[in-house]
Amino acid sequence: QVQLVESGGGLVQPGGSLRLSCAASGSLFRYYTMGWYRQAPGKQRELVARISSGGTRNYADSVKGRFTISGDNAKNTVALQMNSLKPEDTAVYYCNLLQLTVNYWGQGTQVTVSS
């Protein structure tokens, strides 16, 4: 079993920045992918960014150039630096870990971008 603990999130004005962090523990293998998904009210959960244990990064088109994902394999952590935030970034953000074919999820953290 794998546990994910998230931190960060909150309320920020448009154009501001936030940083989300996630720490994984439990039965971790050498190779896995960690990332962040988000779900806005009335919408499906969508991928924001992910990083493999080999360092390959993927971003949603909507966040490219504004968000940066980073990972620390030794500490089993992932962080999402979010800059130039927009109201449409408002959502619950979920940490995700994909190991073999199993997805694990954090509890979610609210990000609200509003003036």
Side-chain angles (χ1 to χ4, degrees):
Q1 194 63 279
V2 173
Q3 295 79 41
L4 301 175
V5 178
E6 302 153 341
S7 60
L11 173 65
V12 65
Q13 292 186 343
S17 298
L18 281 175
R19 183 177 179 86
L20 305 181
S21 298
C22 178
S25 61
S27 302
L28 295 170
F29 298 154
R30 182 175 180 180
Y31 300 106
Y32 53 79
T33 296
M34 290 187 76
W36 293 91
Y37 287 69
R38 67 186 180 187
Q39 188 167 18
K43 295 187 177 181
Q44 290 188 334
R45 191 173 297 190
E46 62 176 1
L47 172 69
V48 177
R50 62 188 174 197
I51 182 170
S52 71
S53 50
T56 300
R57 294 171 171 83
N58 298 103
Y59 294 94
D61 288 343
S62 59
V63 306
K64 285 181 180 177
R66 301 189 297 123
F67 291 10
T68 302
I69 191 168
S70 59
D72 185 330
N73 289 342
K75 297 181 179 179
N76 299 317
T77 59
V78 66
L80 185 69
Q81 178 65 41
M82 305 185 292
N83 299 328
S84 302
L85 282 160
K86 303 175 181 180
E88 50 263 44
D89 295 317
T90 295
V92 178
Y93 284 68
Y94 295 91
C95 180
N96 169 267
L97 187 147
L98 174 62
Q99 182 166 262
L100 298 179
T101 60
V102 181
N103 277 295
Y104 300 92
W105 298 95
Q107 77 279 6
T109 185
Q110 178 70 45
V111 171
T112 301
V113 185
S114 175
S115 55

